Each structure stands twice: as C-alpha cells, then as structure tokens.
C-alpha cells in the first residue's frame, strides 16, 4: 500500500512579502487543473460524474466554492514552503515578474 510522505515543511515560515503570491498561485493551480480537464473532455455539470466527465468545478477560480479554494491554497502554500525548504529564494524583479 502506498503511503504518501510529503516533505515536512512545518518548520518553514513563508515571508510576509510572499503571502500575497498565495492567492495568485492558487488561481493558477486551478487554471492548470481546469485546462487539463477540458483537454481530457470534461465539461461543466452541476454534479461530478466521472463517467459523463462533468464537474461543477469547471468555473473561474473566483466562482469556486470556498472548500475548493482551500484545497488550491494548501497546494500553493506547500509549494512555496517546499521551494524555501530546499534552499531557494524567491525575489520579485524590477519588471514586476517573479523569478526564482
């Protein structure tokens, strides 16, 4: 049986200046997920149905239920913490883009 063992990032504190990235990363995580689902033939549906490939989550991030946003935020937060734990830093350049 598979037992997930994500890197323990409980000791990592995300700097305040990176917290603002969380919602933007969360939104992008959803966009990537949605694009993949659409490419796989999924469509919007009121109920999730794996056989019919319908899901109520094929909506813009802003229209997702809060429970779904929490899932994306957790992914974003853990990604940032993982990057920092691995010794990388994230700095914003003068052109407004972020670079690692």
């Amino acid at each position: 049986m598979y037992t997930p063992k994500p890197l323990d990032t409980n000791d990592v504190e995300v700097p305040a200046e990176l917290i603002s990235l969380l919602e933007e990363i969360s939104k992008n995580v959803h966009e990537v997920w949605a694009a993949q689902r659409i490419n796989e033939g999924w469509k919007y549906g009121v109920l999730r149905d794996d056989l019919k490939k319908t899901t109520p989550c094929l909506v813009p991030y802003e229209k997702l239920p809060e429970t779904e946003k929490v899932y994306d935020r957790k992914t974003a937060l853990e990604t940032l913490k993982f990057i920092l734990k691995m010794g990388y830093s994230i700095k914003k350049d003068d052109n407004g883009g972020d670079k690692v």
Side-chain angles (χ1 to χ4, degrees):
M1 173 189 267
Y2 169 63
T3 303
K5 294 181 183 172
L7 184 67
D8 183 2
T9 59
N10 288 323
D11 60 333
V12 177
E13 191 168 328
V14 177
E17 62 269 14
L18 294 182
I19 294 297
S20 64
L21 279 177
L22 282 177
E23 201 66 11
E24 292 303 314
I25 294 172
S26 300
K27 181 178 179 179
N28 196 61
V29 165
H30 176 68
E31 293 294 313
V32 170
W33 173 87
Q36 182 64 36
R37 289 294 178 268
I38 290 168
N39 286 339
E40 293 171 354
W42 285 73
K43 299 198 181 313
Y44 173 82
V46 176
L47 299 174
R48 179 179 171 125
D49 185 322
D50 290 353
L51 294 175
K52 293 180 182 176
K53 291 189 171 183
T54 61
T55 175
C57 293
L58 278 179
V59 295
Y61 180 78
E62 295 75 20
K63 294 190 177 196
L64 281 176
E66 192 60 27
T67 54
E68 293 296 325
K69 289 180 182 178
V70 167
Y71 184 86
D72 291 333
R73 288 180 189 128
K74 174 85 172 160
T75 300
L77 177 61
E78 286 303 314
T79 299
L80 281 175
K81 290 172 84 174
F82 178 86
I83 291 167
L84 296 170
K85 178 125 185 170
M86 297 305 292
Y88 293 90
S89 62
I90 302 171
K91 298 187 189 321
K92 189 169 185 171
D93 68 22
D94 293 334
N95 296 326
D98 293 324
K99 61 182 176 182
V100 178

